[in-house]
Amino acid sequence: MKRYKKSIIMPLALFIYATVMAIYFIPRNQELSDVEKWGTVTASYVIIALLWWVLRKKEQMMAKRNEEMNKDK
């Protein structure tokens, strides 16, 4: 069984969640302006992209550290 990386699963799940919430709530919310609605959606996508980048870098650092430790042994 193939194990998926955390840097793929978490951002993908959050992206799907944010997209579904945007599709569901944007047409129904009449209290906010369109700029505020789309700004919120855009901000959530930027945060998800940053999370993906940070998790990917963290996994790369861990892999490099493990490779160096295995090389020393």
Side-chain angles (χ1 to χ4, degrees):
M1 186 171 136
K2 184 177 178 181
R3 184 166 187 244
Y4 294 102
K5 295 181 179 183
K6 185 187 252 186
S7 66
I8 299 295
I9 295 297
M10 287 181 58
L12 181 63
L14 289 172
F15 177 79
I16 292 169
Y17 175 78
T19 303
V20 169
M21 291 296 108
I23 291 170
Y24 182 76
F25 283 116
I26 284 181
R28 288 171 177 75
N29 189 345
Q30 302 301 323
E31 296 175 12
L32 298 175
S33 69
D34 286 342
V35 174
E36 289 174 316
K37 292 176 191 177
W38 292 110
T40 303
V41 172
T42 303
S44 67
Y45 287 153
V46 168
I47 291 169
I48 292 168
L50 288 173
L51 173 67
W52 168 78
W53 185 76
V54 168
L55 289 175
R56 196 177 103 232
K57 290 296 180 185
K58 183 178 175 185
E59 287 175 352
Q60 288 174 350
M61 288 175 50
M62 287 176 56
K64 185 177 178 182
R65 188 177 323 129
N66 287 338
E67 181 181 308
E68 289 175 358
M69 289 180 72
N70 288 337
K71 189 187 295 186
D72 291 341
K73 289 183 182 181

Coordinates of all heavy atoms in Angstrom, one line a residue:
M1 N 0.8 -1.2 0.0 CA 0.0 0.0 0.0 C 0.9 1.2 0.0 O 1.8 1.4 0.8 CB -0.9 0.0 1.2 CG -1.9 1.1 1.2 SD -3.1 0.8 2.6 CE -3.2 2.5 3.2
K2 N 0.6 2.2 -0.9 CA 1.4 3.4 -1.0 C 1.0 4.4 0.1 O -0.2 4.6 0.3 CB 1.2 4.0 -2.4 CG 2.1 5.2 -2.6 CD 2.0 5.8 -4.0 CE 2.8 7.0 -4.1 NZ 2.7 7.6 -5.4
R3 N 2.0 4.9 0.8 CA 1.7 5.9 1.8 C 1.8 7.3 1.2 O 2.9 7.6 0.7 CB 2.6 5.7 3.0 CG 2.3 6.6 4.1 CD 3.0 6.2 5.4 NE 2.6 7.0 6.5 CZ 3.3 7.8 7.2 NH1 4.6 7.9 6.9 NH2 2.8 8.6 8.1
Y4 N 0.8 8.1 1.3 CA 0.9 9.5 0.8 C 1.5 10.4 1.8 O 1.4 10.2 3.0 CB -0.5 10.0 0.5 CG -1.2 9.2 -0.6 CD1 -2.1 8.2 -0.4 CD2 -0.8 9.4 -2.0 CE1 -2.7 7.5 -1.4 CE2 -1.3 8.7 -3.0 CZ -2.3 7.8 -2.7 OH -2.8 7.1 -3.8
K5 N 2.2 11.4 1.3 CA 2.9 12.3 2.2 C 1.9 13.3 2.8 O 0.9 13.7 2.2 CB 4.0 13.1 1.4 CG 5.1 12.2 0.9 CD 6.1 13.0 0.1 CE 7.2 12.1 -0.3 NZ 8.2 12.8 -1.0
K6 N 2.3 13.8 4.0 CA 1.5 14.8 4.7 C 1.4 16.1 3.9 O 0.4 16.8 4.0 CB 2.1 15.0 6.1 CG 1.3 15.9 7.0 CD 2.0 16.2 8.2 CE 1.5 15.5 9.4 NZ 2.1 15.9 10.7
S7 N 2.5 16.4 3.2 CA 2.5 17.6 2.4 C 1.5 17.6 1.2 O 1.2 18.6 0.6 CB 3.9 17.9 1.9 OG 4.3 17.0 0.9
I8 N 1.0 16.4 0.9 CA 0.0 16.3 -0.2 C -1.4 16.2 0.4 O -2.3 16.9 0.0 CB 0.3 15.1 -1.1 CG1 1.7 15.2 -1.7 CG2 -0.8 14.9 -2.1 CD1 1.8 16.3 -2.7
I9 N -1.6 15.4 1.4 CA -2.9 15.1 2.0 C -3.6 16.3 2.6 O -4.7 16.6 2.4 CB -2.8 13.9 3.0 CG1 -2.4 12.6 2.2 CG2 -4.1 13.7 3.7 CD1 -3.4 12.1 1.2
M10 N -2.8 16.9 3.5 CA -3.4 18.0 4.3 C -3.8 19.2 3.4 O -5.0 19.7 3.5 CB -2.5 18.5 5.4 CG -2.5 17.5 6.6 SD -1.4 18.0 7.9 CE -2.1 19.5 8.4
P11 N -2.9 19.7 2.6 CA -3.3 20.8 1.7 C -4.5 20.4 0.7 O -5.3 21.3 0.5 CB -2.1 21.2 1.0 CG -1.0 20.8 1.8 CD -1.5 19.5 2.5
L12 N -4.4 19.2 0.2 CA -5.5 18.8 -0.7 C -6.8 18.8 0.0 O -7.8 19.2 -0.5 CB -5.1 17.4 -1.3 CG -6.1 16.9 -2.3 CD1 -6.2 17.8 -3.5 CD2 -5.8 15.5 -2.7
A13 N -6.9 18.2 1.2 CA -8.1 18.2 2.0 C -8.6 19.6 2.3 O -9.8 19.9 2.2 CB -7.9 17.4 3.3
L14 N -7.7 20.5 2.7 CA -8.1 21.9 3.0 C -8.5 22.6 1.7 O -9.5 23.4 1.7 CB -7.0 22.6 3.6 CG -6.7 22.2 5.1 CD1 -5.4 22.9 5.6 CD2 -7.8 22.5 6.0
F15 N -7.9 22.3 0.6 CA -8.3 22.9 -0.7 C -9.7 22.5 -1.1 O -10.5 23.3 -1.5 CB -7.3 22.5 -1.8 CG -7.7 23.1 -3.1 CD1 -7.4 24.4 -3.5 CD2 -8.3 22.3 -4.1 CE1 -7.8 24.9 -4.7 CE2 -8.6 22.8 -5.3 CZ -8.4 24.1 -5.6
I16 N -10.0 21.2 -1.0 CA -11.3 20.7 -1.3 C -12.4 21.3 -0.3 O -13.4 21.8 -0.8 CB -11.4 19.2 -1.2 CG1 -10.5 18.6 -2.4 CG2 -12.8 18.6 -1.3 CD1 -10.3 17.1 -2.3
Y17 N -12.0 21.4 1.0 CA -12.9 21.9 1.9 C -13.2 23.4 1.6 O -14.4 23.9 1.6 CB -12.4 21.8 3.3 CG -13.2 22.5 4.4 CD1 -14.3 21.9 4.9 CD2 -12.8 23.7 4.9 CE1 -15.1 22.5 5.9 CE2 -13.5 24.3 5.9 CZ -14.7 23.7 6.4 OH -15.4 24.4 7.3
A18 N -12.2 24.2 1.4 CA -12.3 25.6 1.1 C -13.1 25.8 -0.2 O -14.0 26.8 -0.2 CB -11.0 26.3 1.0
T19 N -12.9 25.0 -1.2 CA -13.6 25.1 -2.4 C -15.1 24.8 -2.2 O -16.0 25.6 -2.7 CB -13.0 24.2 -3.5 OG1 -11.6 24.6 -3.7 CG2 -13.7 24.4 -4.8
V20 N -15.4 23.8 -1.5 CA -16.8 23.4 -1.3 C -17.5 24.5 -0.5 O -18.7 24.9 -0.8 CB -16.9 22.0 -0.6 CG1 -18.3 21.7 -0.1 CG2 -16.5 20.9 -1.5
M21 N -16.8 25.0 0.6 CA -17.4 26.1 1.4 C -17.7 27.3 0.5 O -18.7 28.0 0.7 CB -16.6 26.4 2.6 CG -16.5 25.3 3.6 SD -18.1 25.0 4.4 CE -18.6 23.4 3.7
A22 N -16.7 27.6 -0.3 CA -16.9 28.8 -1.2 C -18.1 28.6 -2.1 O -18.9 29.6 -2.3 CB -15.6 29.1 -2.0
I23 N -18.2 27.5 -2.7 CA -19.3 27.2 -3.7 C -20.6 27.3 -2.9 O -21.6 27.8 -3.5 CB -19.1 25.8 -4.4 CG1 -17.9 25.9 -5.3 CG2 -20.3 25.4 -5.1 CD1 -17.5 24.6 -5.9
Y24 N -20.6 26.8 -1.7 CA -21.9 26.7 -1.0 C -22.3 28.1 -0.4 O -23.4 28.5 -0.5 CB -21.8 25.7 0.2 CG -23.0 25.6 1.0 CD1 -24.1 24.9 0.5 CD2 -23.1 26.2 2.2 CE1 -25.3 24.7 1.2 CE2 -24.3 26.0 3.0 CZ -25.4 25.3 2.5 OH -26.5 25.2 3.2
F25 N -21.3 28.8 0.2 CA -21.7 30.0 0.9 C -21.6 31.3 0.1 O -22.3 32.3 0.5 CB -20.7 30.2 2.2 CG -21.2 29.3 3.3 CD1 -20.3 28.3 3.7 CD2 -22.4 29.4 3.9 CE1 -20.7 27.4 4.8 CE2 -22.8 28.6 4.9 CZ -21.9 27.6 5.4
I26 N -20.8 31.4 -0.9 CA -20.7 32.7 -1.6 C -22.0 33.1 -2.2 O -22.4 34.3 -2.0 CB -19.6 32.6 -2.7 CG1 -18.2 32.8 -2.0 CG2 -19.7 33.7 -3.7 CD1 -17.0 32.7 -2.9
P27 N -22.8 32.3 -2.9 CA -24.1 32.7 -3.4 C -25.1 33.0 -2.3 O -26.0 33.9 -2.5 CB -24.6 31.6 -4.2 CG -23.5 30.7 -4.4 CD -22.5 30.9 -3.3
R28 N -25.0 32.4 -1.1 CA -26.0 32.6 -0.1 C -25.7 33.8 0.9 O -26.6 34.2 1.5 CB -26.1 31.3 0.8 CG -26.7 30.2 0.0 CD -26.6 28.8 0.7 NE -27.2 27.8 0.1 CZ -26.8 27.2 -1.0 NH1 -25.7 27.5 -1.6 NH2 -27.5 26.2 -1.6
N29 N -24.5 34.2 0.9 CA -24.1 35.3 1.9 C -24.4 36.6 1.2 O -23.8 37.0 0.3 CB -22.7 35.2 2.3 CG -22.3 36.1 3.4 OD1 -23.0 37.0 3.7 ND2 -21.1 35.9 4.0
Q30 N -25.3 37.4 1.8 CA -25.7 38.7 1.2 C -25.2 39.8 2.1 O -25.3 41.0 1.8 CB -27.2 38.8 1.1 CG -27.9 37.7 0.3 CD -27.4 37.7 -1.1 OE1 -27.1 38.8 -1.7 NE2 -27.2 36.5 -1.7
E31 N -24.5 39.5 3.2 CA -24.0 40.5 4.1 C -22.6 41.1 3.7 O -22.3 42.2 4.0 CB -23.8 39.9 5.5 CG -25.1 39.5 6.1 CD -25.0 38.9 7.5 OE1 -23.8 38.9 8.0 OE2 -25.9 38.3 8.0
L32 N -21.8 40.3 2.9 CA -20.5 40.8 2.5 C -20.6 41.2 1.0 O -21.3 40.7 0.3 CB -19.5 39.7 2.7 CG -19.2 39.1 4.1 CD1 -18.3 38.0 4.0 CD2 -18.7 40.2 4.9
S33 N -19.6 42.1 0.7 CA -19.5 42.5 -0.7 C -18.8 41.4 -1.5 O -18.1 40.5 -0.9 CB -18.8 43.8 -0.8 OG -17.4 43.7 -0.5
D34 N -18.8 41.5 -2.8 CA -18.2 40.5 -3.6 C -16.6 40.6 -3.4 O -16.0 39.5 -3.4 CB -18.5 40.7 -5.1 CG -19.9 40.3 -5.5 OD1 -20.5 39.5 -4.7 OD2 -20.4 40.7 -6.5
V35 N -16.1 41.7 -3.2 CA -14.7 41.9 -3.0 C -14.2 41.1 -1.7 O -13.2 40.4 -1.7 CB -14.2 43.3 -2.9 CG1 -12.8 43.5 -2.6 CG2 -14.5 44.0 -4.3
E36 N -15.0 41.3 -0.7 CA -14.7 40.6 0.6 C -14.9 39.1 0.4 O -14.0 38.4 1.0 CB -15.7 41.1 1.7 CG -15.4 42.5 2.1 CD -16.4 43.0 3.1 OE1 -17.6 42.8 2.9 OE2 -16.0 43.6 4.1
K37 N -15.9 38.7 -0.3 CA -16.1 37.2 -0.5 C -14.9 36.6 -1.2 O -14.3 35.6 -0.8 CB -17.3 37.0 -1.3 CG -18.6 37.3 -0.5 CD -19.8 37.1 -1.4 CE -21.1 37.6 -0.9 NZ -22.2 37.5 -1.8
W38 N -14.5 37.2 -2.3 CA -13.4 36.6 -3.2 C -12.1 36.9 -2.5 O -11.2 36.1 -2.7 CB -13.5 37.2 -4.6 CG -14.7 36.7 -5.3 CD1 -15.8 37.4 -5.6 CD2 -15.0 35.4 -5.7 NE1 -16.7 36.6 -6.3 CE2 -16.2 35.3 -6.3 CE3 -14.3 34.2 -5.6 CZ2 -16.8 34.2 -6.8 CZ3 -14.8 33.0 -6.1 CH2 -16.1 33.0 -6.7
G39 N -11.9 37.9 -1.7 CA -10.7 38.1 -1.0 C -10.5 37.1 0.1 O -9.4 36.6 0.3
T40 N -11.6 36.7 0.7 CA -11.5 35.6 1.7 C -11.1 34.3 1.1 O -10.3 33.5 1.6 CB -12.8 35.5 2.5 OG1 -13.2 36.7 3.1 CG2 -12.8 34.4 3.5
V41 N -11.7 34.0 0.0 CA -11.4 32.7 -0.8 C -10.0 32.7 -1.2 O -9.2 31.8 -1.1 CB -12.4 32.5 -1.9 CG1 -12.0 31.3 -2.8 CG2 -13.8 32.3 -1.4
T42 N -9.5 33.9 -1.8 CA -8.1 34.0 -2.2 C -7.2 33.8 -1.1 O -6.1 33.1 -1.2 CB -7.9 35.3 -3.0 OG1 -8.9 35.4 -4.0 CG2 -6.5 35.4 -3.5
A43 N -7.5 34.5 0.0 CA -6.6 34.4 1.2 C -6.5 32.9 1.7 O -5.4 32.5 2.1 CB -7.1 35.3 2.3
S44 N -7.6 32.2 1.7 CA -7.6 30.8 2.1 C -6.7 30.0 1.2 O -5.9 29.1 1.6 CB -9.0 30.2 2.3 OG -9.6 30.1 1.0
Y45 N -6.8 30.2 -0.1 CA -6.0 29.5 -1.1 C -4.5 29.8 -0.9 O -3.6 28.9 -1.0 CB -6.4 29.7 -2.5 CG -7.7 29.1 -2.9 CD1 -8.5 29.6 -3.9 CD2 -8.1 27.9 -2.3 CE1 -9.7 29.0 -4.2 CE2 -9.3 27.3 -2.6 CZ -10.1 27.9 -3.6 OH -11.3 27.3 -4.0
V46 N -4.2 31.1 -0.6 CA -2.8 31.5 -0.4 C -2.2 30.8 0.9 O -1.1 30.3 0.9 CB -2.6 33.0 -0.2 CG1 -1.3 33.4 0.3 CG2 -2.9 33.6 -1.6
I47 N -3.0 30.7 2.0 CA -2.6 30.1 3.2 C -2.4 28.6 2.9 O -1.5 28.0 3.4 CB -3.7 30.3 4.3 CG1 -3.6 31.8 4.7 CG2 -3.4 29.4 5.5 CD1 -4.8 32.2 5.6
I48 N -3.3 27.9 2.2 CA -3.1 26.5 1.8 C -1.9 26.3 1.0 O -1.1 25.3 1.3 CB -4.4 26.0 1.1 CG1 -5.6 26.0 2.1 CG2 -4.1 24.6 0.5 CD1 -6.9 25.8 1.4
A49 N -1.6 27.2 0.1 CA -0.3 27.1 -0.7 C 0.9 27.2 0.2 O 1.9 26.5 0.1 CB -0.3 28.1 -1.8
L50 N 0.9 28.1 1.2 CA 2.0 28.3 2.1 C 2.1 27.1 3.0 O 3.3 26.6 3.3 CB 1.8 29.5 3.0 CG 2.0 30.9 2.2 CD1 1.5 32.0 3.2 CD2 3.4 31.0 1.8
L51 N 1.0 26.5 3.4 CA 1.1 25.3 4.2 C 1.7 24.1 3.4 O 2.6 23.4 3.9 CB -0.3 24.8 4.7 CG -0.4 23.5 5.4 CD1 0.3 23.6 6.7 CD2 -1.9 23.1 5.5
W52 N 1.3 24.0 2.2 CA 1.9 23.0 1.3 C 3.4 23.2 1.2 O 4.2 22.2 1.3 CB 1.3 23.0 -0.1 CG 2.0 22.2 -1.1 CD1 2.0 20.8 -1.2 CD2 2.9 22.7 -2.1 NE1 2.8 20.5 -2.3 CE2 3.4 21.6 -2.8 CE3 3.3 24.0 -2.5 CZ2 4.3 21.7 -3.9 CZ3 4.2 24.1 -3.5 CH2 4.7 23.0 -4.2
W53 N 3.9 24.4 1.0 CA 5.3 24.7 0.8 C 6.1 24.4 2.1 O 7.1 23.8 2.0 CB 5.4 26.2 0.4 CG 6.8 26.6 0.1 CD1 7.6 26.3 -1.0 CD2 7.7 27.3 1.0 NE1 8.8 26.8 -0.9 CE2 8.9 27.4 0.3 CE3 7.6 27.9 2.2 CZ2 10.0 28.1 0.8 CZ3 8.7 28.5 2.8 CH2 9.9 28.6 2.1
V54 N 5.5 24.8 3.2 CA 6.2 24.6 4.5 C 6.3 23.1 4.8 O 7.4 22.6 5.2 CB 5.5 25.3 5.6 CG1 6.0 24.9 7.0 CG2 5.7 26.8 5.5
L55 N 5.3 22.4 4.6 CA 5.3 20.9 4.8 C 6.3 20.2 3.9 O 7.0 19.3 4.3 CB 3.9 20.3 4.7 CG 2.9 20.7 5.8 CD1 1.5 20.1 5.5 CD2 3.4 20.2 7.1
R56 N 6.3 20.7 2.6 CA 7.2 20.1 1.6 C 8.7 20.3 2.0 O 9.5 19.4 2.0 CB 6.9 20.6 0.3 CG 7.6 19.8 -0.8 CD 7.2 20.4 -2.2 NE 8.4 21.1 -2.6 CZ 8.4 22.3 -3.1 NH1 7.4 23.0 -3.1 NH2 9.6 22.9 -3.5
K57 N 9.0 21.5 2.5 CA 10.3 21.9 2.9 C 10.7 21.1 4.1 O 11.8 20.6 4.3 CB 10.5 23.4 3.2 CG 10.4 24.2 2.0 CD 11.6 23.9 1.1 CE 11.6 24.7 -0.2 NZ 12.6 24.4 -1.1
K58 N 9.8 20.9 5.1 CA 10.0 20.1 6.3 C 10.3 18.7 5.9 O 11.2 18.1 6.5 CB 8.8 20.2 7.2 CG 9.0 19.5 8.5 CD 7.8 19.7 9.4 CE 7.9 18.9 10.7 NZ 6.7 19.0 11.5
E59 N 9.5 18.1 5.0 CA 9.8 16.7 4.6 C 11.1 16.6 3.9 O 11.8 15.6 4.1 CB 8.7 16.2 3.7 CG 7.4 15.9 4.4 CD 6.2 15.5 3.5 OE1 6.4 15.6 2.3 OE2 5.2 15.1 4.1
Q60 N 11.5 17.6 3.1 CA 12.8 17.5 2.4 C 13.9 17.6 3.4 O 15.0 16.9 3.3 CB 12.9 18.7 1.4 CG 12.1 18.5 0.2 CD 12.1 19.7 -0.7 OE1 12.6 20.8 -0.4 NE2 11.5 19.6 -1.9
M61 N 13.8 18.4 4.4 CA 14.8 18.5 5.5 C 14.9 17.2 6.3 O 16.1 16.8 6.6 CB 14.5 19.7 6.4 CG 14.7 21.1 5.8 SD 14.2 22.4 6.9 CE 15.0 22.1 8.4
M62 N 13.8 16.6 6.6 CA 13.9 15.3 7.3 C 14.5 14.3 6.4 O 15.3 13.4 6.9 CB 12.4 14.9 7.7 CG 11.9 15.7 8.8 SD 10.2 15.3 9.3 CE 10.3 13.6 9.6
A63 N 14.2 14.2 5.1 CA 14.8 13.2 4.3 C 16.3 13.4 4.1 O 17.1 12.5 4.2 CB 14.2 13.3 2.9
K64 N 16.7 14.7 4.0 CA 18.2 15.0 4.0 C 18.9 14.6 5.3 O 19.9 14.0 5.2 CB 18.3 16.5 3.7 CG 19.8 16.9 3.5 CD 19.9 18.4 3.2 CE 21.3 18.8 3.0 NZ 21.4 20.3 2.7
R65 N 18.2 14.9 6.4 CA 18.8 14.5 7.7 C 18.9 13.0 7.8 O 20.0 12.5 8.3 CB 18.0 15.1 8.8 CG 18.6 14.9 10.2 CD 17.8 15.5 11.3 NE 17.1 16.7 11.0 CZ 15.8 17.0 11.2 NH1 15.0 16.0 11.7 NH2 15.3 18.1 10.9
N66 N 17.9 12.3 7.4 CA 17.9 10.8 7.5 C 19.0 10.2 6.5 O 19.7 9.3 6.9 CB 16.6 10.2 7.1 CG 15.6 10.4 8.2 OD1 15.9 10.6 9.4 ND2 14.3 10.4 7.9
E67 N 19.1 10.8 5.4 CA 20.2 10.4 4.4 C 21.6 10.6 5.0 O 22.4 9.7 4.9 CB 20.0 11.2 3.1 CG 21.0 10.8 2.0 CD 20.8 11.7 0.8 OE1 19.6 11.7 0.3 OE2 21.8 12.2 0.3
E68 N 21.8 11.7 5.6 CA 23.1 12.0 6.2 C 23.4 11.1 7.4 O 24.5 10.6 7.6 CB 23.2 13.4 6.7 CG 23.3 14.5 5.6 CD 23.2 15.9 6.1 OE1 23.1 16.1 7.3 OE2 23.3 16.8 5.2
M69 N 22.3 10.7 8.2 CA 22.5 9.8 9.3 C 22.8 8.4 8.8 O 23.6 7.7 9.4 CB 21.3 9.8 10.2 CG 21.1 11.1 11.0 SD 19.7 11.1 12.1 CE 20.2 9.9 13.3
N70 N 22.1 8.0 7.7 CA 22.4 6.7 7.1 C 23.8 6.6 6.5 O 24.4 5.6 6.5 CB 21.3 6.3 6.1 CG 20.0 6.0 6.8 OD1 20.0 5.7 8.0 ND2 18.9 6.2 6.0
K71 N 24.2 7.7 6.0 CA 25.6 7.8 5.4 C 26.7 7.6 6.4 O 27.7 7.0 6.2 CB 25.8 9.1 4.6 CG 27.0 9.1 3.8 CD 27.3 10.5 3.2 CE 26.2 10.9 2.2 NZ 26.5 12.2 1.5
D72 N 26.4 8.2 7.6 CA 27.4 8.1 8.7 C 27.5 6.7 9.3 O 28.5 6.4 9.8 CB 27.0 9.1 9.8 CG 27.2 10.6 9.4 OD1 28.0 10.8 8.4 OD2 26.6 11.5 10.0
K73 N 26.5 6.0 9.2 CA 26.5 4.6 9.8 C 27.1 3.6 8.9 O 27.6 3.3 8.1 CB 25.0 4.1 10.0 CG 24.4 4.9 11.2 CD 23.0 4.3 11.5 CE 22.4 5.1 12.6 NZ 21.1 4.7 12.9

